[in-house]
Amino acid sequence: MNQSKEFDSTNSGRQELAPAGNPSSPGGVVDPCWMLCMKLVSEDIKARLIAPSLLPPADLIEVDSGDWGRTAQQARAQNWRWAGAWAEDRGHDLAVSACLEKQGCYLILRTYLPADNPALPSHAPHYWAADRVERHIQDLFGIRFTDHPDPKRWTRHQAWDETTYPLRKSFPADGQPPAKTPSDNEYPFLKAHGASVYEIPVGPVHAGIIEPGHFRFQAVGETVLHLEERLGYVHKGIEKIAEGRDPIALVKLAGRVSGDTTVGHAWTACMAMERAAHVDIPQRAAYIRGILAERERVINHLWDLGALCNDVGFAFGYYQFGRLRELWLRENQALFGHRLMMDTLVPGGVSVDVPPEAAVRMRNSVASLRRELDELLTILDANSSLEDRFLTTGVLSSELASALGALGYVGRASGRNFDLRRDAPYPPYNSLDVRVPVETQGDVASRFWVRYKELRAALRLIEQMLAGLPSGELAAEWRTPGDGAEGFGAVEGWRGEILCYIRFGADGRIRRYYPRDPSIVNWPALEKLVLGNIVPDFPVCNKSVNGSYSGHDL
């Protein structure tokens, strides 16, 4: 039975807010995450701490809408990281939630607004990461964030008029934009004026086969003064078309949020639904999920390493890393039926197995790849052209990375030592030796070598999981969650932390699905790290971040 306590600044009995039986506190011992939450709202903020948590492993706090901005200000002062936000139309009102993280502990802040002319203090003055996320909510729900530093449109571009909000329940899933979308050429990019200052528009259509995104540069000579991104061109309506799906169909959709992260997003969605349904997956299924996720990490890091070599004209590295990736993609097809391992996860477990002969083949592939990487390392280390183009290019300082909340290899190349597999472990990683490589220089070279080291660490993890692969079932029996059941998932994808929120309806179908790809947090880092570099170095800076357009645009 859920328990809650209301309190304000006059409440001096903080220990009352951690009732015995807190699910994260066996034997009545107060959970350190719970204590962090209590400290956040222990001063003059009116709030309700919900315990046991409705969203394990996250704790849930309901905050008065008037204290929404002040809560963020206090969280920033206490070094909570802002990780994401979403809204939901619940008919009579709008629920707005924001996710914070500190020391591997997750906290969901929630408030409620009237559906008619909703407004809420912005978190963006306190957290840069909140900027575009709040604008996304503003565009699709019609919630106005007061004091937002840059409230112009973000997700919708010109597809719908000012009074149409596609994520409201009144908007049909098959609702169509105008037959001819008005031009977006009046978007108010920042302008720079002065002698020798000029503007370079790049995209949204690019010379290669990458997805569309627009980059507007202000430069003097070859030096970049300012970069402003304009994304959203591949907005697919993921959040809207998720509504009404059953769990199996939702996992299929999640696996297509960003095709290069199909395992990561499918796992996060499964985790959220399983927690909402109180389903524990079999241990064998957890290990197989881990193997799939680490294989996804390997193939993507191989591709990025090759692409970085290609961007500075080192064709040999491009060919070799691409060749090695192709071998693993073909093995994925042979072992799991798909080169990218799509649709290998299901609610409650997995749809594929790792029989003994497959385990032997993967062990051999790991050993072979490790030998080839050893040979490539000598060549890479001795290549002066790589060193010249990578070192001191695109520096993201540790201070700026922290302020942005940079994730994955982008954050770890700038000294941010955070990895969910180690710091908030979930099966099977809670039984494994997870090594997290960190660099501190924050340049393209650091982002290159962090990827290389993460690749090697992933090979070790695959070997650990193959060696310890338990016997048992591949999936647990699914239990339909009750009306309003909520789930929260957090998985360390190859780009970094992936988050997911799911809420079920009365018929066991999805009422709300929100995935947060790490690219949503990391794209703004590109705008900062390219400043002061020369325009010709933008491609390698961009590739060193390699944000997903699709994962960002939803």
Side-chain angles (χ1 to χ4, degrees):
M1 186 173 183
N2 292 328
Q3 303 174 30
S4 66
K5 295 280 186 179
E6 291 219 27
F7 73 107
D8 55 28
S9 58
T10 63
N11 188 336
S12 59
R14 291 197 297 168
Q15 68 278 10
E16 296 178 7
L17 302 176
N22 182 340
S24 299
S25 310
V29 179
V30 177
D31 175 27
C33 293
W34 189 249
M35 293 300 292
L36 288 173
C37 297
M38 289 193 296
K39 183 179 179 182
L40 174 61
V41 294
S42 65
E43 297 180 8
D44 57 349
I45 294 174
K46 293 182 179 179
R48 295 175 65 241
L49 281 78
I50 310 299
S53 173
L54 297 178
L55 292 168
D59 288 307
L60 176 64
I61 295 179
E62 293 182 357
V63 180
D64 184 85
S65 60
D67 284 333
W68 187 254
R70 224 150 31 90
T71 306
Q73 182 180 21
Q74 191 158 300
R76 185 77 183 108
Q78 295 183 19
N79 295 318
W80 286 85
R81 175 175 61 88
W82 198 94
W86 59 91
E88 182 186 357
D89 183 353
R90 298 194 174 181
H92 55 285
D93 59 18
L94 301 176
V96 182
S97 303
C99 179
L100 305 175
E101 181 275 331
K102 182 178 181 180
Q103 298 173 16
C105 300
Y106 285 92
L107 169 64
I108 307 297
L109 303 178
R110 179 170 294 164
T111 194
Y112 298 91
L113 302 173
D116 182 29
N117 194 29
L120 194 63
S122 173
H123 283 184
H126 314 292
Y127 289 102
W128 276 345
D131 174 13
R132 296 173 180 177
V133 177
E134 288 185 346
R135 290 163 66 187
H136 174 80
I137 294 171
Q138 167 191 277
D139 286 354
L140 301 186
F141 283 95
I143 297 172
R144 179 171 54 89
F145 288 91
T146 59
D147 302 321
H148 193 290
D150 186 16
K152 60 179 178 281
R153 280 188 176 196
W154 181 247
T155 300
R156 293 191 300 171
H157 292 206
Q158 300 295 116
W160 292 282
D161 63 43
E162 294 289 348
T163 60
T164 300
Y165 305 113
L167 286 186
R168 294 285 188 105
K169 295 299 184 186
S170 57
F171 187 91
D174 59 353
Q176 298 297 317
K180 184 177 181 181
T181 302
S183 171
D184 198 34
N185 62 350
E186 298 301 322
Y187 184 79
F189 287 103
L190 179 72
K191 301 292 184 182
H193 303 279
S196 303
V197 177
Y198 65 101
E199 185 173 86
I200 307 173
V202 178
V205 179
H206 302 291
I209 59 171
I210 63 173
E211 293 176 294
H214 185 86
F215 302 93
R216 187 66 59 94
F217 295 86
Q218 309 292 335
V220 171
E222 288 193 318
T223 303
V224 178
L225 297 179
H226 181 75
L227 168 62
E228 188 170 355
E229 299 163 353
R230 181 75 170 121
L231 305 176
Y233 294 95
V234 286
H235 177 71
K236 307 168 290 298
I238 289 287
E239 296 169 279
K240 190 67 179 182
I241 62 178
E243 296 175 4
R245 291 187 173 232
D246 62 31
I248 292 176
L250 190 278
V251 175
K252 285 183 175 291
L253 179 66
R256 288 151 177 83
V257 168
S258 182
D260 58 10
T261 317
T262 182
V263 174
H265 275 287
W267 192 348
T268 317
C270 284
M271 181 184 291
M273 290 193 292
E274 288 152 5
R275 285 170 171 166
H278 303 290
V279 169
D280 294 322
I281 71 171
Q283 193 177 15
R284 184 175 182 84
Y287 269 69
I288 292 174
R289 284 183 180 182
I291 291 168
L292 298 172
E294 296 310 314
R295 287 186 67 89
E296 184 168 82
R297 197 179 315 276
V298 168
I299 62 175
N300 281 292
H301 282 340
L302 285 171
W303 185 240
D304 275 5
L305 292 172
L308 282 164
C309 290
N310 185 56
D311 276 344
V312 298
F314 185 43
F316 174 81
Y318 175 57
Y319 298 150
Q320 294 304 318
F321 284 117
R323 175 181 63 83
L324 295 172
R325 173 180 181 263
E326 178 62 24
L327 292 175
W328 276 54
L329 288 171
R330 294 181 183 185
E331 188 169 87
N332 286 344
Q333 176 71 51
L335 298 180
F336 307 116
H338 197 284
R339 285 165 62 86
L340 299 181
M341 302 173 292
M342 280 189 172
D343 303 329
T344 53
L345 277 70
V346 295
V350 293
S351 62
V352 295
D353 200 3
V354 178
E357 61 272 18
V360 170
R361 180 169 176 173
M362 281 191 276
R363 287 192 192 96
N364 292 337
S365 296
V366 167
S368 176
L369 178 55
R370 186 178 285 121
R371 286 194 299 270
E372 298 230 34
L373 290 174
D374 287 342
E375 293 182 23
L376 279 171
L377 177 62
T378 304
I379 298 170
L380 295 170
D381 255 346
N383 191 280
S384 58
S385 66
L386 282 182
E387 181 178 301
D388 179 61
R389 295 295 301 278
F390 285 178
L391 286 175
T392 72
T393 299
V395 174
L396 182 70
S397 69
S398 57
E399 295 79 12
L400 193 51
S402 178
L404 290 166
L407 298 169
Y409 50 77
V410 176
R412 289 191 279 270
S414 296
R416 287 183 57 78
N417 190 2
F418 176 75
D419 189 307
L420 270 162
R421 296 170 297 171
R422 181 198 62 195
D423 300 322
Y426 46 94
Y429 297 107
N430 55 347
S431 302
L432 303 176
D433 175 24
V434 179
R435 303 180 188 180
V436 182
V438 177
E439 297 280 336
T440 57
Q441 298 92 334
D443 55 6
V444 170
S446 293
R447 291 186 284 278
F448 182 92
W449 288 114
V450 162
R451 280 176 167 91
Y452 181 90
K453 293 173 182 177
E454 284 192 6
L455 195 165
R456 301 295 294 255
L459 297 181
R460 286 193 294 270
L461 287 172
I462 291 171
E463 287 179 323
Q464 287 183 49
M465 287 184 282
L466 290 173
L469 184 62
S471 59
E473 300 296 323
L474 296 180
E477 182 178 354
W478 183 251
R479 292 196 294 267
T480 302
D483 183 16
E486 303 175 272
F488 174 77
V491 165
E492 188 71 23
W494 72 274
R495 280 193 178 93
E497 171 199 67
I498 303 171
L499 301 180
C500 172
Y501 168 78
I502 287 177
R503 178 178 168 89
F504 282 90
D507 53 358
R509 292 183 175 269
I510 304 303
R511 181 174 293 172
R512 181 73 173 101
Y513 168 58
Y514 173 71
R516 199 236 56 206
D517 190 88
S519 303
I520 291 174
V521 177
N522 284 344
W523 269 116
L526 177 61
E527 292 182 332
K528 304 300 180 185
L529 63 85
V530 76
L531 301 183
N533 289 262
I534 60 174
V535 174
D537 275 343
F538 172 70
V540 73
C541 289
N542 186 12
K543 178 51 66 175
S544 74
V545 174
N546 190 17
S548 169
Y549 296 85
S550 183
H552 174 282
D553 293 349
L554 296 187

